[in-house]
Amino acid sequence: MAATNSLQVEISYRQIIKLALPISFAMLVPQFNFITTNIFLGHYSQQALAVAGITGVYYLIFAMIGFGLNNGLQALISRRAGENRPEEIGKIFSQGIYIAMVIAAIGILLTWFLAPIILRNVIHSSDTATKAIHFLNIRICGLPFLYVYQMRNALLVGTNQSKYLIFGTLAEAITNIFFDYSFIFGHFGFPEIGFNGAAIASIIAEFTGMFVIFLVIWQKGISKRFSLFSHMTWNVTITKKILSISTPLIFQLAASLTSWVFFYILIEHHGQEALAISNIMRNIFGLIGCITWSFAATGAAMVSNIIGQGKQDKVHSLILKIISISSAVSLVICTLINLFPQILLSVFGQTAGFTQHAIPVVRVVTFAMLLMSFSTIWLNAVTGTGNSRVTLLIEVITIILYCAYIYLVLEKFFLAISYGWMSEWLYWISLFILSWWYIRSGKWKAKVI
Protein backbone atom coordinates (compact mmCIF):
# COMPACT_ATOMS: atom_id res chain seq x y z
CA MET A 1 0.00 0.00 0.00
CA ALA A 2 1.10 3.52 -0.66
CA ALA A 3 0.06 4.50 2.80
CA THR A 4 -1.11 2.74 5.89
CA ASN A 5 -4.76 3.75 5.61
CA SER A 6 -4.90 3.99 1.81
CA LEU A 7 -7.35 1.79 -0.03
CA GLN A 8 -5.32 2.05 -3.24
CA VAL A 9 -3.29 -0.95 -4.47
CA GLU A 10 0.20 -1.11 -5.91
CA ILE A 11 1.03 -2.90 -9.16
CA SER A 12 3.49 -5.51 -7.90
CA TYR A 13 3.86 -9.26 -7.46
CA ARG A 14 3.84 -8.73 -3.71
CA GLN A 15 0.47 -6.94 -3.86
CA ILE A 16 -1.00 -9.63 -6.16
CA ILE A 17 0.06 -12.46 -3.85
CA LYS A 18 -1.03 -10.52 -0.76
CA LEU A 19 -4.55 -10.29 -2.15
CA ALA A 20 -4.72 -13.65 -3.92
CA LEU A 21 -3.45 -15.99 -1.20
CA PRO A 22 -6.25 -15.35 1.32
CA ILE A 23 -8.84 -15.47 -1.48
CA SER A 24 -7.36 -18.73 -2.71
CA PHE A 25 -7.50 -20.25 0.76
CA ALA A 26 -11.03 -18.94 1.28
CA MET A 27 -12.08 -20.70 -1.94
CA LEU A 28 -9.96 -23.79 -1.40
CA VAL A 29 -11.34 -24.68 2.03
CA PRO A 30 -15.01 -24.83 0.90
CA GLN A 31 -13.93 -26.77 -2.19
CA PHE A 32 -12.04 -29.22 0.00
CA ASN A 33 -15.20 -29.33 2.10
CA PHE A 34 -17.25 -30.05 -1.04
CA ILE A 35 -14.85 -32.82 -2.09
CA THR A 36 -15.07 -34.33 1.40
CA THR A 37 -18.85 -34.43 1.06
CA ASN A 38 -18.51 -36.29 -2.23
CA ILE A 39 -16.01 -38.70 -0.69
CA PHE A 40 -18.55 -39.46 2.04
CA LEU A 41 -21.29 -39.90 -0.57
CA GLY A 42 -19.00 -42.10 -2.70
CA HIS A 43 -18.49 -44.41 0.26
CA TYR A 44 -22.22 -44.32 1.00
CA SER A 45 -23.23 -45.42 -2.55
CA GLN A 46 -22.29 -44.84 -6.19
CA GLN A 47 -25.86 -43.66 -6.83
CA ALA A 48 -25.51 -40.93 -4.19
CA LEU A 49 -22.23 -39.82 -5.79
CA ALA A 50 -23.87 -39.80 -9.24
CA VAL A 51 -26.98 -37.83 -8.17
CA ALA A 52 -24.72 -35.33 -6.37
CA GLY A 53 -23.33 -34.45 -9.80
CA ILE A 54 -26.72 -33.09 -10.90
CA THR A 55 -27.74 -31.49 -7.60
CA GLY A 56 -24.32 -29.94 -7.15
CA VAL A 57 -24.36 -28.23 -10.52
CA TYR A 58 -27.97 -27.10 -10.04
CA TYR A 59 -27.18 -25.40 -6.73
CA LEU A 60 -24.01 -24.00 -8.26
CA ILE A 61 -26.18 -22.06 -10.73
CA PHE A 62 -27.71 -20.08 -7.86
CA ALA A 63 -24.35 -19.81 -6.11
CA MET A 64 -22.93 -18.28 -9.29
CA ILE A 65 -25.85 -15.85 -9.51
CA GLY A 66 -24.78 -14.63 -6.07
CA PHE A 67 -21.19 -14.61 -7.26
CA GLY A 68 -22.24 -12.40 -10.18
CA LEU A 69 -23.82 -9.93 -7.76
CA ASN A 70 -20.68 -10.21 -5.65
CA ASN A 71 -18.48 -9.37 -8.65
CA GLY A 72 -20.56 -6.32 -9.50
CA LEU A 73 -20.38 -5.08 -5.92
CA GLN A 74 -16.66 -5.80 -5.83
CA ALA A 75 -16.05 -3.75 -8.98
CA LEU A 76 -17.92 -0.79 -7.47
CA ILE A 77 -16.29 -1.10 -4.04
CA SER A 78 -12.82 -1.48 -5.58
CA ARG A 79 -13.41 1.59 -7.74
CA ARG A 80 -14.48 3.66 -4.72
CA ALA A 81 -11.47 2.31 -2.82
CA GLY A 82 -9.19 3.38 -5.68
CA GLU A 83 -10.81 6.83 -5.53
CA ASN A 84 -10.35 6.88 -1.71
CA ARG A 85 -14.07 7.34 -1.05
CA PRO A 86 -14.73 4.98 1.90
CA GLU A 87 -17.99 6.71 2.83
CA GLU A 88 -19.63 5.26 -0.31
CA ILE A 89 -18.65 1.65 0.42
CA GLY A 90 -21.16 1.05 3.24
CA LYS A 91 -24.00 2.37 1.08
CA ILE A 92 -23.11 -0.02 -1.74
CA PHE A 93 -22.80 -2.98 0.64
CA SER A 94 -26.20 -2.50 2.33
CA GLN A 95 -28.03 -2.22 -0.99
CA GLY A 96 -26.25 -5.38 -2.17
CA ILE A 97 -27.70 -7.28 0.79
CA TYR A 98 -31.24 -6.18 -0.12
CA ILE A 99 -30.82 -7.30 -3.72
CA ALA A 100 -29.33 -10.64 -2.62
CA MET A 101 -32.34 -11.44 -0.43
CA VAL A 102 -34.78 -10.80 -3.28
CA ILE A 103 -32.81 -13.10 -5.58
CA ALA A 104 -32.63 -15.79 -2.87
CA ALA A 105 -36.42 -15.74 -2.45
CA ILE A 106 -36.90 -16.16 -6.21
CA GLY A 107 -34.40 -19.04 -6.27
CA ILE A 108 -36.20 -20.89 -3.48
CA LEU A 109 -39.60 -20.55 -5.17
CA LEU A 110 -38.25 -21.71 -8.55
CA THR A 111 -36.63 -24.75 -6.95
CA TRP A 112 -39.75 -25.75 -5.05
CA PHE A 113 -42.29 -25.29 -7.85
CA LEU A 114 -40.59 -25.26 -11.27
CA ALA A 115 -37.43 -27.37 -10.96
CA PRO A 116 -39.30 -30.65 -10.18
CA ILE A 117 -41.23 -30.39 -13.45
CA ILE A 118 -38.08 -29.77 -15.48
CA LEU A 119 -35.95 -32.44 -13.78
CA ARG A 120 -38.58 -35.17 -14.16
CA ASN A 121 -38.74 -34.45 -17.89
CA VAL A 122 -35.01 -34.32 -18.68
CA ILE A 123 -33.54 -37.02 -16.38
CA HIS A 124 -34.04 -40.53 -17.78
CA SER A 125 -33.98 -42.34 -14.42
CA SER A 126 -37.11 -41.57 -12.38
CA ASP A 127 -35.33 -42.68 -9.18
CA THR A 128 -32.44 -40.28 -9.83
CA ALA A 129 -34.87 -37.45 -10.55
CA THR A 130 -36.84 -38.09 -7.33
CA LYS A 131 -33.71 -38.18 -5.17
CA ALA A 132 -32.38 -35.00 -6.81
CA ILE A 133 -35.67 -33.14 -6.24
CA HIS A 134 -35.93 -34.15 -2.57
CA PHE A 135 -32.32 -33.10 -1.97
CA LEU A 136 -32.71 -29.72 -3.68
CA ASN A 137 -35.92 -28.89 -1.81
CA ILE A 138 -33.82 -28.98 1.36
CA ARG A 139 -30.54 -27.63 0.02
CA ILE A 140 -32.00 -24.46 -1.52
CA CYS A 141 -33.00 -23.18 1.94
CA GLY A 142 -29.36 -22.29 2.56
CA LEU A 143 -29.35 -19.77 -0.29
CA PRO A 144 -30.03 -16.61 1.81
CA PHE A 145 -27.12 -17.49 4.13
CA LEU A 146 -24.84 -18.19 1.17
CA TYR A 147 -25.66 -14.86 -0.50
CA VAL A 148 -25.02 -12.77 2.61
CA TYR A 149 -21.84 -14.77 3.11
CA GLN A 150 -20.77 -13.99 -0.47
CA MET A 151 -21.37 -10.26 -0.01
CA ARG A 152 -18.56 -10.18 2.54
CA ASN A 153 -16.23 -11.27 -0.29
CA ALA A 154 -17.02 -8.11 -2.23
CA LEU A 155 -16.43 -5.98 0.84
CA LEU A 156 -13.18 -7.56 2.04
CA VAL A 157 -11.59 -8.11 -1.38
CA GLY A 158 -12.76 -4.75 -2.69
CA THR A 159 -11.18 -2.94 0.30
CA ASN A 160 -7.94 -5.00 0.14
CA GLN A 161 -8.65 -6.88 3.38
CA SER A 162 -8.91 -10.39 1.97
CA LYS A 163 -6.87 -11.81 4.88
CA TYR A 164 -10.03 -11.85 7.00
CA LEU A 165 -11.83 -14.23 4.62
CA ILE A 166 -10.24 -17.22 6.30
CA PHE A 167 -12.21 -16.97 9.56
CA GLY A 168 -15.65 -17.55 8.09
CA THR A 169 -14.28 -20.07 5.63
CA LEU A 170 -12.72 -22.27 8.30
CA ALA A 171 -15.84 -22.11 10.45
CA GLU A 172 -17.99 -23.19 7.50
CA ALA A 173 -15.66 -26.03 6.51
CA ILE A 174 -15.30 -27.55 9.98
CA THR A 175 -19.05 -27.37 10.56
CA ASN A 176 -19.89 -28.95 7.22
CA ILE A 177 -17.44 -31.85 7.54
CA PHE A 178 -18.67 -32.66 11.05
CA PHE A 179 -22.37 -32.63 10.16
CA ASP A 180 -21.81 -34.38 6.81
CA TYR A 181 -20.20 -37.31 8.58
CA SER A 182 -22.83 -37.25 11.32
CA PHE A 183 -25.96 -37.01 9.14
CA ILE A 184 -24.91 -39.15 6.16
CA PHE A 185 -23.77 -42.16 8.21
CA GLY A 186 -25.58 -41.55 11.51
CA HIS A 187 -22.68 -40.99 13.91
CA PHE A 188 -22.36 -39.17 17.28
CA GLY A 189 -25.97 -39.90 18.16
CA PHE A 190 -27.41 -38.28 14.99
CA PRO A 191 -29.87 -40.17 12.75
CA GLU A 192 -28.61 -41.73 9.49
CA ILE A 193 -30.23 -39.49 6.88
CA GLY A 194 -28.01 -40.55 3.95
CA PHE A 195 -27.90 -38.39 0.82
CA ASN A 196 -30.26 -35.72 2.19
CA GLY A 197 -28.06 -35.43 5.28
CA ALA A 198 -25.49 -33.66 3.12
CA ALA A 199 -28.08 -30.98 2.28
CA ILE A 200 -28.86 -30.31 5.95
CA ALA A 201 -25.16 -30.19 6.83
CA SER A 202 -24.50 -27.63 4.11
CA ILE A 203 -27.26 -25.30 5.34
CA ILE A 204 -25.93 -25.39 8.90
CA ALA A 205 -22.41 -24.71 7.59
CA GLU A 206 -23.47 -21.73 5.45
CA PHE A 207 -25.24 -20.13 8.40
CA THR A 208 -22.18 -20.69 10.61
CA GLY A 209 -19.82 -19.15 8.05
CA MET A 210 -22.07 -16.12 7.62
CA PHE A 211 -22.39 -15.60 11.38
CA VAL A 212 -18.65 -15.91 12.07
CA ILE A 213 -17.53 -13.54 9.32
CA PHE A 214 -19.90 -10.83 10.48
CA LEU A 215 -18.53 -11.20 13.99
CA VAL A 216 -15.06 -10.67 12.53
CA ILE A 217 -16.15 -7.64 10.50
CA TRP A 218 -17.66 -6.12 13.64
CA GLN A 219 -14.72 -6.99 15.93
CA LYS A 220 -12.07 -5.65 13.51
CA GLY A 221 -13.85 -2.31 13.20
CA ILE A 222 -14.57 -2.78 9.50
CA SER A 223 -18.28 -2.28 10.08
CA LYS A 224 -17.66 1.04 11.80
CA ARG A 225 -15.04 2.26 9.31
CA PHE A 226 -17.36 1.89 6.32
CA SER A 227 -20.64 2.53 8.21
CA LEU A 228 -22.02 -0.78 6.92
CA PHE A 229 -25.26 -0.67 8.82
CA SER A 230 -25.84 3.08 8.84
CA HIS A 231 -27.44 3.17 5.39
CA MET A 232 -30.09 0.46 5.60
CA THR A 233 -32.86 2.39 3.84
CA TRP A 234 -33.54 1.46 0.23
CA ASN A 235 -31.53 3.68 -2.13
CA VAL A 236 -32.88 3.54 -5.69
CA THR A 237 -29.89 5.33 -7.25
CA ILE A 238 -27.28 2.98 -5.76
CA THR A 239 -29.44 -0.08 -6.45
CA LYS A 240 -29.66 0.88 -10.13
CA LYS A 241 -25.88 1.36 -10.24
CA ILE A 242 -25.29 -2.08 -8.69
CA LEU A 243 -27.79 -3.78 -11.00
CA SER A 244 -26.41 -2.06 -14.10
CA ILE A 245 -23.06 -3.76 -13.45
CA SER A 246 -24.18 -6.96 -11.70
CA THR A 247 -27.13 -7.99 -13.89
CA PRO A 248 -25.02 -8.85 -16.95
CA LEU A 249 -22.60 -10.73 -14.67
CA ILE A 250 -25.47 -12.62 -13.05
CA PHE A 251 -26.84 -13.63 -16.45
CA GLN A 252 -23.33 -14.49 -17.61
CA LEU A 253 -22.62 -16.86 -14.72
CA ALA A 254 -26.14 -18.30 -14.68
CA ALA A 255 -25.93 -19.01 -18.40
CA SER A 256 -22.51 -20.58 -17.95
CA LEU A 257 -23.70 -22.91 -15.21
CA THR A 258 -26.98 -23.68 -16.98
CA SER A 259 -24.91 -24.97 -19.88
CA TRP A 260 -23.07 -27.16 -17.38
CA VAL A 261 -26.41 -28.58 -16.16
CA PHE A 262 -27.18 -29.35 -19.81
CA PHE A 263 -23.79 -31.09 -19.99
CA TYR A 264 -24.54 -33.24 -16.92
CA ILE A 265 -27.99 -34.15 -18.21
CA LEU A 266 -26.37 -35.41 -21.43
CA ILE A 267 -23.76 -37.27 -19.35
CA GLU A 268 -26.58 -38.94 -17.36
CA HIS A 269 -27.80 -40.43 -20.63
CA HIS A 270 -24.47 -42.33 -20.76
CA GLY A 271 -25.19 -44.12 -17.47
CA GLN A 272 -24.55 -43.93 -13.73
CA GLU A 273 -20.79 -44.57 -13.93
CA ALA A 274 -20.29 -41.81 -16.50
CA LEU A 275 -22.22 -39.41 -14.26
CA ALA A 276 -20.19 -40.42 -11.19
CA ILE A 277 -16.90 -40.00 -13.08
CA SER A 278 -17.97 -36.55 -14.28
CA ASN A 279 -18.91 -35.55 -10.74
CA ILE A 280 -15.38 -36.43 -9.62
CA MET A 281 -13.99 -34.41 -12.53
CA ARG A 282 -16.02 -31.44 -11.32
CA ASN A 283 -14.41 -31.91 -7.91
CA ILE A 284 -10.93 -31.90 -9.44
CA PHE A 285 -11.81 -28.91 -11.62
CA GLY A 286 -13.07 -27.01 -8.62
CA LEU A 287 -9.98 -27.83 -6.56
CA ILE A 288 -7.56 -26.39 -9.12
CA GLY A 289 -10.06 -23.70 -10.05
CA CYS A 290 -9.92 -22.22 -6.55
CA ILE A 291 -6.36 -21.09 -7.16
CA THR A 292 -7.06 -19.75 -10.65
CA TRP A 293 -10.31 -18.08 -9.56
CA SER A 294 -8.54 -16.38 -6.65
CA PHE A 295 -6.11 -14.78 -9.10
CA ALA A 296 -9.04 -13.88 -11.37
CA ALA A 297 -10.86 -12.20 -8.46
CA THR A 298 -7.65 -10.41 -7.54
CA GLY A 299 -7.30 -9.27 -11.15
CA ALA A 300 -10.83 -7.88 -11.30
CA ALA A 301 -10.37 -5.99 -8.02
CA MET A 302 -6.92 -4.62 -8.90
CA VAL A 303 -7.91 -3.61 -12.43
CA SER A 304 -10.88 -1.67 -11.09
CA ASN A 305 -8.74 -0.13 -8.35
CA ILE A 306 -5.94 1.12 -10.61
CA ILE A 307 -8.47 2.48 -13.11
CA GLY A 308 -9.93 4.41 -10.16
CA GLN A 309 -6.41 5.75 -9.58
CA GLY A 310 -6.28 6.92 -13.22
CA LYS A 311 -3.61 4.38 -14.23
CA GLN A 312 -5.35 2.80 -17.24
CA ASP A 313 -1.99 2.40 -18.98
CA LYS A 314 -0.91 -0.13 -16.32
CA VAL A 315 -3.79 -2.57 -16.85
CA HIS A 316 -2.12 -4.74 -19.49
CA SER A 317 1.11 -5.22 -17.53
CA LEU A 318 -0.90 -6.03 -14.38
CA ILE A 319 -2.85 -8.76 -16.21
CA LEU A 320 0.36 -10.37 -17.49
CA LYS A 321 1.88 -10.40 -14.00
CA ILE A 322 -1.19 -12.15 -12.58
CA ILE A 323 -1.23 -14.69 -15.43
CA SER A 324 2.44 -15.56 -14.92
CA ILE A 325 1.73 -16.64 -11.33
CA SER A 326 -1.62 -18.32 -12.03
CA SER A 327 -0.35 -20.39 -14.96
CA ALA A 328 2.84 -21.47 -13.18
CA VAL A 329 0.92 -22.76 -10.15
CA SER A 330 -1.64 -24.57 -12.33
CA LEU A 331 1.10 -26.20 -14.40
CA VAL A 332 2.75 -27.68 -11.31
CA ILE A 333 -0.54 -29.02 -9.89
CA CYS A 334 -1.77 -30.44 -13.20
CA THR A 335 1.58 -32.20 -13.73
CA LEU A 336 1.32 -33.86 -10.32
CA ILE A 337 -2.26 -34.98 -10.99
CA ASN A 338 -1.25 -36.56 -14.29
CA LEU A 339 1.69 -38.35 -12.68
CA PHE A 340 -0.43 -39.84 -9.88
CA PRO A 341 -4.09 -39.97 -11.03
CA GLN A 342 -4.82 -43.30 -9.30
CA ILE A 343 -4.00 -41.85 -5.89
CA LEU A 344 -6.39 -38.94 -6.37
CA LEU A 345 -9.23 -41.09 -7.73
CA SER A 346 -8.85 -43.79 -5.07
CA VAL A 347 -10.13 -41.52 -2.27
CA PHE A 348 -13.65 -41.63 -3.73
CA GLY A 349 -13.98 -45.31 -2.81
CA GLN A 350 -14.78 -46.73 -6.24
CA THR A 351 -13.58 -49.88 -8.05
CA ALA A 352 -10.33 -50.34 -10.01
CA GLY A 353 -12.37 -50.52 -13.23
CA PHE A 354 -14.01 -47.21 -12.40
CA THR A 355 -10.58 -45.63 -11.86
CA GLN A 356 -9.27 -46.90 -15.20
CA HIS A 357 -12.30 -45.46 -17.01
CA ALA A 358 -11.78 -42.12 -15.27
CA ILE A 359 -8.06 -41.62 -16.03
CA PRO A 360 -8.51 -40.56 -19.72
CA VAL A 361 -11.00 -37.94 -18.56
CA VAL A 362 -8.48 -36.68 -15.98
CA ARG A 363 -6.00 -36.02 -18.80
CA VAL A 364 -8.56 -33.97 -20.71
CA VAL A 365 -9.70 -32.01 -17.66
CA THR A 366 -6.20 -31.07 -16.46
CA PHE A 367 -5.34 -29.60 -19.87
CA ALA A 368 -8.55 -27.56 -19.67
CA MET A 369 -7.36 -26.29 -16.29
CA LEU A 370 -4.18 -24.97 -17.87
CA LEU A 371 -6.26 -23.09 -20.43
CA MET A 372 -8.45 -21.73 -17.65
CA SER A 373 -5.40 -20.46 -15.71
CA PHE A 374 -4.94 -17.56 -18.12
CA SER A 375 -8.32 -17.31 -19.91
CA THR A 376 -10.30 -16.50 -16.78
CA ILE A 377 -7.79 -13.77 -15.80
CA TRP A 378 -8.49 -11.97 -19.08
CA LEU A 379 -12.26 -12.38 -18.66
CA ASN A 380 -12.21 -11.00 -15.10
CA ALA A 381 -10.07 -8.10 -16.25
CA VAL A 382 -12.98 -7.19 -18.52
CA THR A 383 -15.23 -7.34 -15.45
CA GLY A 384 -12.81 -5.08 -13.59
CA THR A 385 -13.19 -2.39 -16.25
CA GLY A 386 -16.86 -2.17 -15.26
CA ASN A 387 -18.15 -3.09 -18.72
CA SER A 388 -20.07 -6.18 -17.62
CA ARG A 389 -22.27 -6.15 -20.73
CA VAL A 390 -19.19 -7.05 -22.77
CA THR A 391 -18.46 -9.86 -20.30
CA LEU A 392 -21.99 -11.18 -20.86
CA LEU A 393 -21.65 -10.97 -24.65
CA ILE A 394 -18.36 -12.90 -24.54
CA GLU A 395 -19.96 -15.58 -22.35
CA VAL A 396 -23.04 -15.94 -24.57
CA ILE A 397 -20.97 -16.42 -27.73
CA THR A 398 -18.80 -18.99 -25.98
CA ILE A 399 -21.74 -20.90 -24.49
CA ILE A 400 -23.45 -21.22 -27.88
CA LEU A 401 -20.31 -22.88 -29.23
CA TYR A 402 -20.02 -25.03 -26.09
CA CYS A 403 -23.61 -26.29 -26.13
CA ALA A 404 -23.51 -27.07 -29.84
CA TYR A 405 -20.35 -29.12 -29.30
CA ILE A 406 -21.59 -31.17 -26.33
CA TYR A 407 -24.93 -31.90 -28.02
CA LEU A 408 -23.22 -33.23 -31.14
CA VAL A 409 -20.57 -35.21 -29.26
CA LEU A 410 -22.55 -36.62 -26.33
CA GLU A 411 -26.08 -36.93 -27.72
CA LYS A 412 -26.06 -37.11 -31.52
CA PHE A 413 -22.85 -39.13 -32.02
CA PHE A 414 -22.84 -40.60 -28.47
CA LEU A 415 -19.04 -40.54 -28.18
CA ALA A 416 -17.10 -41.35 -25.00
CA ILE A 417 -17.36 -38.80 -22.19
CA SER A 418 -13.66 -37.93 -22.52
CA TYR A 419 -14.54 -36.32 -25.87
CA GLY A 420 -17.44 -34.55 -24.20
CA TRP A 421 -15.09 -33.04 -21.61
CA MET A 422 -12.99 -31.60 -24.46
CA SER A 423 -15.76 -29.01 -24.65
CA GLU A 424 -13.85 -27.27 -21.86
CA TRP A 425 -10.96 -26.73 -24.29
CA LEU A 426 -13.29 -24.98 -26.72
CA TYR A 427 -14.86 -22.95 -23.91
CA TRP A 428 -11.66 -21.54 -22.41
CA ILE A 429 -9.94 -20.88 -25.76
CA SER A 430 -12.99 -18.93 -26.96
CA LEU A 431 -13.15 -16.89 -23.74
CA PHE A 432 -9.47 -16.07 -24.00
CA ILE A 433 -9.60 -14.86 -27.62
CA LEU A 434 -12.63 -12.61 -27.08
CA SER A 435 -11.48 -11.18 -23.72
CA TRP A 436 -7.93 -10.55 -24.94
CA TRP A 437 -9.26 -8.77 -28.02
CA TYR A 438 -11.49 -6.46 -25.97
CA ILE A 439 -8.77 -5.46 -23.50
CA ARG A 440 -6.28 -4.92 -26.33
CA SER A 441 -8.78 -2.74 -28.23
CA GLY A 442 -8.76 -0.13 -25.43
CA LYS A 443 -12.51 0.50 -25.80
CA TRP A 444 -12.95 0.01 -22.02
CA LYS A 445 -10.96 3.17 -21.18
CA ALA A 446 -13.97 5.43 -21.68
CA LYS A 447 -16.17 3.42 -19.26
CA VAL A 448 -17.17 5.26 -16.05
CA ILE A 449 -18.88 3.55 -13.09
Side-chain angles (χ1 to χ4, degrees):
M1 296 296 167
T4 304
N5 295 318
S6 176
L7 295 172
Q8 297 177 336
V9 299
E10 298 172 349
I11 305 169
S12 65
Y13 286 110
R14 178 186 175 90
Q15 180 76 79
I16 293 167
I17 293 172
K18 183 181 177 181
L19 278 173
L21 274 181
I23 299 171
S24 178
F25 194 76
M27 290 182 173
L28 191 61
V29 172
Q31 186 61 36
F32 173 76
N33 169 30
F34 177 75
I35 291 173
T36 303
T37 298
N38 279 274
I39 290 171
F40 289 151
L41 292 174
H43 285 275
Y44 188 74
S45 72
Q46 188 182 91
Q47 184 189 41
L49 181 63
V51 178
I54 294 174
T55 58
V57 174
Y58 177 91
Y59 190 75
L60 198 57
I61 292 174
F62 289 100
M64 288 297 103
I65 289 172
F67 191 58
L69 177 60
N70 166 79
N71 285 350
L73 280 176
Q74 183 179 300
L76 278 170
I77 290 173
S78 296
R79 189 64 57 88
R80 299 298 174 262
E83 295 165 350
N84 262 332
R85 296 169 60 192
E87 70 281 355
E88 294 296 315
I89 291 173
K91 298 176 183 178
I92 295 170
F93 180 79
S94 61
Q95 299 308 305
I97 296 293
Y98 281 134
I99 297 168
M101 291 302 96
V102 172
I103 297 173
I106 294 171
I108 291 171
L109 292 175
L110 288 174
T111 301
W112 283 351
F113 299 107
L114 183 60
I117 299 171
I118 296 172
L119 291 174
R120 286 195 175 97
N121 279 281
V122 298
I123 296 176
H124 284 185
S125 168
S126 59
D127 187 41
T128 297
T130 300
K131 288 183 181 299
I133 291 166
H134 288 167
F135 180 92
L136 290 171
N137 282 342
I138 301 170
R139 182 70 185 91
I140 200 67
C141 294
L143 202 58
F145 307 133
L146 174 66
Y147 281 176
V148 175
Y149 186 50
Q150 285 178 326
M151 293 307 101
R152 71 48 160 129
N153 275 346
L155 174 69
L156 295 177
V157 175
T159 57
N160 316 320
Q161 299 180 93
S162 57
K163 61 185 177 182
Y164 296 125
L165 296 175
I166 186 58
F167 295 104
T169 301
L170 278 177
E172 179 189 12
I174 293 169
T175 302
N176 197 61
I177 291 172
F178 173 78
F179 284 108
D180 262 342
Y181 186 67
S182 301
F183 287 140
I184 292 173
F185 300 107
H187 291 298
F188 308 118
F190 291 96
E192 181 182 335
I193 305 176
F195 182 47
N196 288 343
I200 298 171
S202 295
I203 295 172
I204 296 172
E206 284 168 348
F207 174 80
T208 303
M210 177 196 72
F211 180 73
V212 168
I213 198 60
F214 273 98
L215 284 180
V216 171
I217 287 173
W218 173 76
Q219 196 274 332
K220 296 294 181 181
I222 298 171
S223 175
K224 182 178 180 180
R225 182 183 183 188
F226 298 115
S227 303
L228 295 186
F229 304 107
S230 300
H231 308 283
M232 297 306 294
T233 55
W234 186 268
N235 188 309
V236 176
T237 302
I238 295 177
T239 298
K240 286 181 177 178
K241 176 71 74 174
I242 293 171
L243 290 177
S244 70
I245 297 176
S246 295
T247 301
L249 296 175
I250 290 170
F251 278 110
Q252 171 217 333
L253 292 166
S256 177
L257 267 296
T258 301
S259 68
W260 222 8
V261 171
F262 179 51
F263 173 80
Y264 271 85
I265 288 170
L266 297 183
I267 289 288
E268 189 266 343
H269 298 171
H270 287 244
Q272 182 171 288
E273 184 184 77
L275 187 57
I277 288 173
S278 292
N279 188 25
I280 292 174
M281 293 309 109
R282 182 167 62 89
N283 281 259
I284 296 173
F285 213 112
L287 186 65
I288 310 299
C290 289
I291 298 170
T292 299
W293 295 327
S294 70
F295 284 109
T298 298
M302 291 187 71
V303 165
S304 186
N305 192 292
I306 65 173
I307 291 174
Q309 297 178 43
K311 299 178 180 178
Q312 287 91 339
D313 58 311
K314 302 292 185 182
V315 167
H316 194 266
S317 61
L318 171 63
I319 294 170
L320 294 180
K321 284 183 178 181
I322 296 172
I323 286 175
S324 66
I325 306 173
S326 174
S327 297
V329 173
S330 294
L331 179 60
V332 171
I333 296 175
C334 289
T335 301
L336 290 173
I337 290 175
N338 277 282
L339 288 174
F340 310 105
Q342 292 91 344
I343 296 175
L344 179 62
L345 293 168
S346 66
V347 301
F348 291 91
Q350 302 302 304
T351 64
F354 180 97
T355 299
Q356 289 304 311
H357 293 159
I359 287 175
V361 189
V362 170
R363 311 293 191 204
V364 173
V365 168
T366 48
F367 184 70
M369 293 171 185
L370 290 176
L371 297 174
M372 179 177 69
S373 70
F374 58 86
S375 299
T376 192
I377 308 297
W378 284 103
L379 182 66
N380 277 265
V382 177
T383 302
T385 67
N387 207 337
S388 53
R389 288 178 176 82
V390 173
T391 310
L392 175 60
L393 179 61
I394 291 171
E395 190 74 51
V396 168
I397 293 170
T398 303
I399 285 173
I400 291 171
L401 296 173
Y402 174 88
C403 289
Y405 176 90
I406 61 175
Y407 174 77
L408 291 172
V409 170
L410 293 174
E411 191 75 4
K412 186 172 180 62
F413 299 113
F414 211 74
L415 299 180
I417 62 170
S418 57
Y419 292 104
W421 273 96
M422 287 179 186
S423 58
E424 293 294 323
W425 299 2
L426 174 64
Y427 179 82
W428 292 112
I429 290 171
S430 301
L431 279 185
F432 163 67
I433 292 171
L434 295 171
S435 302
W436 172 84
W437 176 83
Y438 178 72
I439 293 294
R440 189 171 177 81
S441 73
K443 294 180 179 179
W444 49 271
K445 293 182 180 180
K447 179 69 176 179
V448 179
I449 63 173

